[in-house]
Amino acid sequence: MKKLLAMLFIMLFIAGCSKPSYDFLYTKARIDNSSCPQAAIVSGNECYTIPDLAYNEAIDWHLNRLATLGWEGNASNDFTPFSFIYRKEEVTVQLTFYPLNSTTEGNLITIEYDKPGTGLLITPDGRGSYGRERG
């Protein structure tokens, strides 16, 4: 019985540690480093896959959720991948959205923005996409 309780405690602890740490995240978002550029995966950054929302849907959903929860911010660029810096109380985060669907024909890559699947990189403290301090 003690072994069963110990195993249950360990499983619950592991499950609790793997949950997204931000309350504004889409409910089906899951941690997945393959959805972001490898150079962006530095200590403190978190990368998620949003499997069932297209690129623009994922951006709109998160911006609406952030506003509903009282976060303030705006876009930090106007090109793909889109980045946004948001603040609430003493917390600042940068969200960078990556389209995951593309087709390649020869040397031409076409991004398919309307297909489900979006990568989301969350950088704490607004340090920039690749963990560098903004100057």
Side-chain angles (χ1 to χ4, degrees), residues 16-68:
C17 291
S18 65
K19 289 185 179 179
S21 58
Y22 297 99
D23 61 352
F24 56 76
L25 273 174
Y26 186 65
T27 54
K28 294 183 182 179
R30 65 179 189 274
I31 294 175
D32 182 0
N33 287 345
S34 68
S35 297
C36 300
Q38 198 60 36
I41 309 302
V42 297
S43 179
N45 290 0
E46 296 179 10
C47 185
Y48 297 88
T49 293
I50 303 165
D52 59 342
L53 293 181
Y55 188 68
N56 290 329
E57 291 173 328
I59 291 172
D60 290 345
W61 191 95
H62 282 89
L63 296 185
N64 288 334
R65 179 77 174 152
L66 286 159
T68 299

